[in-house]
Amino acid sequence: MLTLYSYWRSSSAYRVRIALNLKGLDYVIQPVNLAPAHSEQRTAAYRAVSPDALVPVLEHDGQRLSQSLAICEYLDQTVRERPLLPDNPVAQATVRSFCLAIACEIQPLNNLRVLNYLGEVLAASDLDRQDWYRHWISAGFTALERRLAAHPGPRFAFGERPGLAECLLIPQLYNARRYECPLDPYPGLRRIESACAELPEFIRAHPDSQPDKPETLP
């Protein structure tokens, strides 16, 4: 049995949910409430699962794996059906580069820990934090749009089927919409988002479909 320690609105956990669904795997969600009023990731019980107090963590055959990209690649290597990466090494590197641009260049600057630090320690206003978020989304999405133009896929980012690129891109677009970032300049990204929105694997992975989504948002 696969168990995913997840938070409904975590983009990193969202990535892994998409990957699990694309692979056709059954899994159980173990919610970890990251909301400030709960902060379950900081408890001793959860630190025994994840020493760095982050989600997601995937538990499989007695092993616990962390970091979303590492988990996705583990799934791709252990379940060969419905590959998330192409076979060709150059094509693989192209997809990984696209994914790393999100996982290493965009998301870390805008994750909850950074936004909280900006407000709580550096006394940045809500408007300042919103400007910060939009700046890095704009810079990152502009680069992604150029990448897509250089390697256009027929329907999805790099092929006829969604793969690792979509696992990373769709959660980042969700976050951008949540923070009301302008998306009109990125027709390529939005085209892929529209194609994914029709698929059950993405619908099931969406934050609104998660068992731990609260009935009333703070």
Side-chain angles (χ1 to χ4, degrees), residues 118-195:
L118 288 172
E120 296 168 5
V121 179
L122 301 183
S125 67
D126 288 346
L127 182 59
D128 288 337
R129 294 196 300 168
Q130 182 89 337
D131 287 345
W132 169 278
Y133 198 101
R134 289 177 175 177
H135 171 79
W136 294 114
I137 286 291
S138 175
F141 279 9
T142 298
L144 293 181
E145 189 75 14
R146 290 171 180 160
R147 286 173 181 265
L148 290 180
H151 301 278
R155 185 181 181 197
F156 297 98
F158 298 101
E160 293 283 358
R161 297 176 56 254
L164 191 61
E166 285 73 22
C167 293
L168 276 287
L169 176 61
I170 299 307
Q172 197 61 59
L173 282 163
Y174 170 84
N175 280 354
R177 292 186 182 281
R178 180 183 164 203
Y179 283 88
E180 300 179 350
C181 299
L183 297 179
D184 287 347
Y186 317 113
L189 304 186
R190 290 187 287 107
R191 173 182 60 82
I192 295 166
E193 182 185 39
S194 295

Side-chain angles (χ1 to χ4, degrees), residues 57 88 120 149 198 203 207 210:
V57 169
N88 180 279
E120 296 168 5
E198 303 173 358
I203 295 170
Q210 301 314 299

Side-chain angles (χ1 to χ4, degrees), residues 45-56:
Y46 187 66
R47 285 189 183 274
V49 174
S50 172
D52 51 9
L54 298 174
V55 296

Side-chain angles (χ1 to χ4, degrees), residues 27-53:
Y27 59 99
V28 173
I29 292 285
Q30 179 60 52
V32 180
N33 195 334
L34 307 186
H38 301 273
S39 297
E40 290 179 355
Q41 77 276 18
R42 298 176 184 172
T43 64
Y46 187 66
R47 285 189 183 274
V49 174
S50 172
D52 51 9

Side-chain angles (χ1 to χ4, degrees), residues 1-6 16 20 26-28 30 46 48-50 56-66 71 74-75:
M1 175 60 69
L2 291 159
T3 299
L4 181 66
Y5 293 82
S6 175
V16 177
L20 286 162
D26 292 328
Y27 59 99
V28 173
Q30 179 60 52
Y46 187 66
V49 174
S50 172
V57 169
L58 182 70
E59 195 168 76
H60 184 217
D61 289 341
Q63 302 295 319
R64 287 171 174 163
L65 307 173
S66 61
I71 295 171
Y74 167 80
L75 294 173

Side-chain angles (χ1 to χ4, degrees), residues 67-83:
Q67 291 297 330
S68 60
L69 271 180
I71 295 171
C72 290
E73 294 230 20
Y74 167 80
L75 294 173
D76 212 30
Q77 291 168 6
T78 55
V79 181
R80 294 298 184 179
E81 295 79 9
R82 306 180 186 181

